[in-house]
């Protein structure tokens, strides 16, 4: 099959020396960026290579991004309709894709990338706008599996030249669409659709417009040039002022031969630590007290600082985690870290989009012949500060205020898997079986019942009591001075959930749910009565209420 054929083969042009001149100046840089904006990706990326090779902060930040995202846990999920269980075929596809992605044995010595390295390479588009990889397929146990990926060189990427629009007989042209040049012939562009299942095309847009202009390194190019010129100026000043000045004073009446002899000795002291001077010559070695000639605040250092700071802001979104010697409050550090993690989420979302919409569909179509029930990747990024804020918000809304909410929604929101029917549940520090049921006649207090709410069975809406968190009796009971209303509402919501569970498991034709423990004027009328005969809302119904309910057989 065609997918096993290699499209991009090594070529001598891929390793040619850069056409960019060694001596950069603003005019040269402007010309390269203009050419890049017109679609000359090869020339533009020669500039980007030079920038990454000569700028340690840029290289460090990009490597930090790539490694941080590549090592995140990427979990494969089976396709399923909302609210339903995945089908057997969906589970089979998900298991197969997960196996082939996480068990690749790429020939790294041949330039192949495994799954983690593929993510690393795709993230090159964060800086350069585009990253294209060719997929190498092999057959294992009768199935097509991706053995690895290989980077497509920039000599094979570009856009349709204007001359192609006039000479080609094809009517469908798009000057902004990325094209492939497998034979390195700029007059022979190929669409990626011509090679199905063979390429991963990653485009990371940092701005609107033409794909060639989306590279974020374009915005850093002028700062990089200023930084390089700053280094050059600093090296020149170090050469001029880094060595002590040798100063010799001679008699004004000294003959020219003596002056020449003094000059030769001063020149000789530049490479030797000795000198011989005529009698009467006064020698001084002068050391500078400040660097350079501009004092303590060097403009060249300022240029380099501004470039490094802009590099941090562009790719990491903040500077506090990269600047040495700077400190801030713990809260400020958390804010900066959260901004950085927000960008990591964006970078991970870009990678997931490429894998879910290009690689996984190819695996399924080649092996199943269709693109149905496609599994998908999800990423887990540890966000403790954000998770804590979500928990506090949900606690306020659903526990303290008593707002009803779907349990499945909470599971999905906090990325917690819903327990199975036979699993042991950890609830409030105790282990309980989700399949355990309440025995008739057993005492069921509201707090104890809430511990089993994980096994809640659905009842019809007409059988359920109405939960009214504002319905609180306080006239003849201990006031809220010893229990807050928020605490009471939380207990009532927990008891309500547990009561629904109990109600669903109780056969009301043979058993009654009896109220007991009412020792105050408010609860006494309900004492010993059954559900539906005077009460429908379970205790507690007032502050500090300690009543309970129990299931008992109906009296004959």
């Amino acid at each position: 099959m065609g997918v096993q054929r290699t499209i991009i083969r090594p070529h001598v042009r891929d390793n040619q020396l850069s056409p960019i001149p060694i001596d950069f100046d603003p005019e040269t840089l402007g010309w390269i960026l203009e050419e890049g904006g017109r679609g000359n990706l090869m020339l533009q990326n020669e500039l980007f290579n030079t920038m990454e090779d000569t700028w340690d902060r840029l290289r460090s930040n990009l490597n930090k991004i790539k490694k941080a995202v590549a090592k995140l846990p990427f979990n494969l999920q089976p396709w399923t309709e909302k609210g339903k269980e995945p089908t057997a075929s969906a589970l089979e596809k998900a298991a197969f894709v997960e196996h082939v992605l996480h068990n690749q044995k790429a020939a790294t010595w041949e330039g192949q990338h495994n799954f983690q390295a593929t993510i690393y390479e795709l993230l090159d588009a964060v800086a350069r706008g585009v990253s294209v990889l060719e997929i190498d397929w092999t057959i294992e146990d009768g199935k097509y599996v991706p053995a690895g990926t290989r980077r497509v060189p920039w000599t094979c990427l570009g856009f349709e030249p204007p001359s192609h629009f006039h000479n080609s007989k094809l009517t469908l042209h798009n000057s902004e669409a990325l094209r492939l040049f497998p034979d390195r012939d700029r007059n022979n562009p190929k669409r990626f659709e011509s090679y199905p299942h063979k390429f991963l095309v990653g485009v990371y847009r940092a701005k609107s417009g033409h794909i060639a202009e989306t590279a974020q390194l374009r915005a850093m190019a002028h700062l990089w040039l200023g930084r390089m010129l700053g280094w050059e100026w600093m090296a020149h000043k170090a050469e001029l002022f880094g060595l002590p000045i040798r100063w010799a004073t001679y008699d004004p009446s000294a003959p020219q031969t003596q002056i020449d002899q003094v000059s030769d000795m001063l020149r000789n002291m530049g490479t030797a630590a000795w000198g011989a001077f005529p009698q009467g010559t006064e020698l001084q070695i002068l050391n500078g007290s400040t660097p350079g000639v501009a004092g303590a605040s060097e403009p060249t250092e300022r240029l380099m600082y501004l470039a490094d700071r802009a590099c941090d802001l562009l790719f990491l979104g903040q500077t506090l985690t990269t600047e040495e010697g700077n400190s801030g409050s713990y809260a400020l550090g958390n804010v900066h870290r959260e901004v950085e993690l927000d960008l990591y989420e964006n970078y991970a979302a870009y990678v997931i989009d490429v894998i879910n919409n290009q690689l996984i569909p190819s695996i399924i179509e080649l092996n199943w012949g269709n693109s149905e029930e496609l599994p998908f990747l999800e990423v887990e990024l540890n966000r403790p500060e954000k998770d804590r804020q979500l928990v506090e918000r949900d606690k306020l809304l659903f526990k303290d205020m008593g707002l009803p909410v779907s349990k499945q929604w909470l599971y999905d929101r906090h990325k917690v898997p819903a327990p199975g029917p036979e699993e042991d549940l950890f609830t409030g520090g105790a282990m309980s079986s989700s399949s355990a049921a309440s025995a008739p006649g057993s005492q069921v207090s509201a707090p104890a019942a809430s511990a089993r709410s994980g096994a809640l069975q659905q009842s019809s809406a007409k059988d359920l009591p109405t939960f009214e968190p504002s319905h609180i009796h306080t006239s003849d009971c201990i006031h809220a001075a010893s229990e807050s209303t928020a605490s009471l509402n939380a207990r009532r919501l927990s008891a309500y959930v547990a009561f629904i569970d109990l109600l669903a498991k109780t056969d009301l034709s043979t058993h009654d749910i009896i109220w007991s423990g009412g020792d105050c004027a408010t609860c006494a009328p309900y004492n010993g009565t059954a559900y539906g005969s005077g009460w429908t809302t379970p205790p507690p119904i007032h502050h500090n209420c300690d009543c309970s309910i129990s299931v008992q057989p109906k009296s004959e």
Side-chain angles (χ1 to χ4, degrees):
M1 192 172 180
V3 294
Q4 292 181 271
R5 179 168 61 98
T6 300
I7 306 301
I8 306 298
R9 299 186 180 277
H11 195 280
V12 65
R13 294 184 184 178
D14 300 338
N15 299 315
Q16 285 181 341
L17 294 177
S18 171
I20 299 177
I22 296 177
D23 295 330
F24 261 95
D25 55 39
E27 290 76 16
T28 301
L29 183 63
W31 168 72
I32 294 174
L33 293 178
E34 184 177 357
E35 285 292 307
R38 291 175 178 174
N40 192 340
L41 295 181
M42 184 177 66
L43 181 63
Q44 180 171 267
N45 277 278
E46 289 291 346
L47 168 64
F48 295 162
N49 286 337
T50 305
M51 291 172 61
E52 198 168 341
D53 287 342
T54 56
W55 192 354
D56 55 342
R57 182 65 69 88
L58 173 63
R59 189 166 189 161
S60 174
N61 284 349
L62 293 181
N63 191 54
K64 180 179 181 180
I65 289 170
K66 295 176 183 179
K67 288 190 175 296
V69 176
K71 71 180 182 181
L72 290 175
F74 287 85
N75 301 320
L76 202 78
Q77 302 294 336
W79 177 89
T80 180
E81 292 186 8
K82 187 175 181 63
K84 296 184 179 180
E85 294 294 325
T87 64
S89 58
L91 291 172
E92 180 188 6
K93 291 178 180 179
F96 177 76
V97 172
E98 184 173 29
H99 173 76
V100 300
L101 290 184
H102 294 289
N103 291 277
Q104 286 182 330
K105 298 178 176 60
T108 55
W109 56 92
E110 296 287 348
Q112 272 190 341
H113 309 301
N114 58 21
F115 181 62
Q116 188 177 50
T118 296
I119 294 175
Y120 187 96
E121 289 294 326
L122 285 173
L123 287 165
D124 207 35
V126 170
R128 300 173 185 243
V130 174
S131 179
V132 181
L133 304 175
E134 182 176 0
I135 307 173
D136 292 333
W137 295 93
T138 187
I139 297 179
E140 294 182 2
D141 300 326
K143 296 281 190 179
Y144 285 98
V145 298
T149 60
R150 289 179 294 107
R151 185 180 63 86
V152 174
W154 292 101
T155 52
C156 298
L157 298 174
F159 303 88
E160 297 182 36
S163 59
H164 185 71
F165 300 151
H166 303 290
N167 300 331
S168 176
K169 297 180 180 180
L170 298 177
T171 57
L172 297 178
H173 300 292
N174 187 352
S175 61
E176 296 188 359
L178 190 65
R179 293 289 183 254
L180 188 68
F181 300 86
D183 53 4
R184 279 77 173 175
D185 183 1
R186 289 292 150 181
N187 292 315
N188 188 25
K190 301 291 185 181
R191 298 172 183 268
F192 286 97
E193 295 86 342
S194 302
Y195 308 96
H197 312 306
K198 280 299 294 178
F199 294 96
L200 297 179
V201 183
V203 177
Y204 186 90
R205 288 192 173 275
K207 67 180 289 290
S208 302
H210 197 281
I211 293 178
E213 298 178 343
T214 62
Q216 297 197 85
L217 286 181
R218 288 175 60 88
M220 302 299 300
H222 293 90
L223 290 166
W224 165 79
L225 179 59
R227 190 179 188 280
M228 294 300 294
L229 293 176
W231 271 112
E232 181 180 346
W233 297 334
M234 285 188 67
H236 184 58
K237 285 194 288 185
E239 183 180 358
L240 290 177
F241 304 102
L243 295 176
I245 297 177
R246 302 174 293 280
W247 183 292
T249 304
Y250 55 85
D251 192 308
S253 60
Q256 186 62 41
T257 55
Q258 183 176 349
I259 296 175
D260 294 341
Q261 185 180 8
V262 170
S263 299
D264 291 341
M265 287 299 146
L266 289 174
R267 190 177 300 108
N268 179 68
M269 291 183 69
T271 56
W274 62 274
F277 297 91
Q279 186 176 3
T281 302
E282 181 182 351
L283 178 66
Q284 300 182 55
I285 305 296
L286 303 180
N287 292 307
S289 58
T290 58
V293 293
S297 179
E298 288 283 357
T300 53
E301 292 183 4
R302 182 67 178 172
L303 280 176
M304 291 184 285
Y305 165 77
L306 291 175
D308 287 346
R309 186 175 184 274
C311 183
D312 295 340
L313 290 173
L314 186 64
F315 294 109
L316 303 181
Q318 47 81 42
T319 60
L320 196 62
T321 63
T322 56
E323 293 183 352
E324 297 182 1
N326 287 353
S327 61
S329 66
Y330 179 76
L332 180 61
N334 280 341
V335 171
H336 280 238
R337 179 58 177 168
E338 287 299 313
V339 171
E340 183 177 0
L341 292 177
D342 283 340
L343 286 179
Y344 286 173
E345 281 190 338
N346 292 338
Y347 302 149
Y350 149 73
V351 171
I352 287 177
D353 180 71
V354 175
I355 301 299
N356 285 343
N357 292 300
Q358 298 182 40
L359 180 58
I360 292 179
S362 292
I363 297 175
I364 298 301
E365 289 178 18
L366 287 173
N367 292 287
W368 273 267
N370 60 65
S371 56
E372 299 173 356
E373 297 183 321
L374 293 175
F376 57 93
L377 276 183
E378 287 184 340
V379 65
E380 293 183 15
L381 181 59
N382 187 22
R383 303 289 300 271
E385 184 66 22
K386 187 175 181 180
D387 292 343
R388 182 184 64 81
Q389 293 175 358
L390 287 178
V391 170
E392 290 180 351
R393 176 184 178 275
D394 290 352
K395 178 177 179 294
L396 175 64
L397 289 176
F398 309 128
K399 184 177 181 181
D400 296 347
M401 296 179 61
L403 184 67
V405 64
S406 165
K407 293 176 68 176
Q408 186 60 50
W409 183 86
L410 288 174
Y411 283 130
D412 295 340
R413 174 178 171 82
H414 296 281
K415 299 179 181 179
V416 178
E422 300 298 330
E423 290 183 326
D424 288 334
L425 305 181
F426 177 83
T427 54
M431 298 297 292
S432 63
S433 173
S434 61
S435 61
S438 301
S442 60
Q443 190 76 5
V444 185
S445 65
S450 66
R452 295 197 304 274
S453 60
L456 179 63
Q457 300 179 1
Q458 298 297 325
S459 299
S460 62
K462 65 180 182 180
D463 296 329
L464 300 181
T466 302
F467 177 61
E468 304 176 69
S470 61
H471 182 63
I472 300 173
H473 299 275
T474 58
S475 56
D476 300 319
C477 309
I478 302 176
H479 196 260
S482 57
E483 182 183 22
S484 67
T485 301
S487 174
L488 173 59
N489 279 338
R491 287 203 300 136
R492 297 187 75 239
L493 179 60
S494 177
Y496 171 76
V497 172
F499 182 61
I500 295 176
D501 185 13
L502 180 63
L503 196 61
K505 297 174 181 177
T506 303
D507 185 357
L508 295 180
S509 64
T510 59
H511 293 77
D512 286 325
I513 303 177
I514 304 300
W515 187 299
S516 62
D519 56 357
C520 65
T522 299
C523 298
Y526 306 124
N527 214 14
T529 61
Y531 166 69
S533 301
W535 64 272
T536 56
T537 301
I541 61 172
H542 60 76
H543 297 96
N544 302 287
C545 179
D546 58 357
C547 293
S548 61
I549 54 177
S550 61
V551 177
Q552 299 178 11
K554 283 184 177 291
S555 58
E556 296 295 338

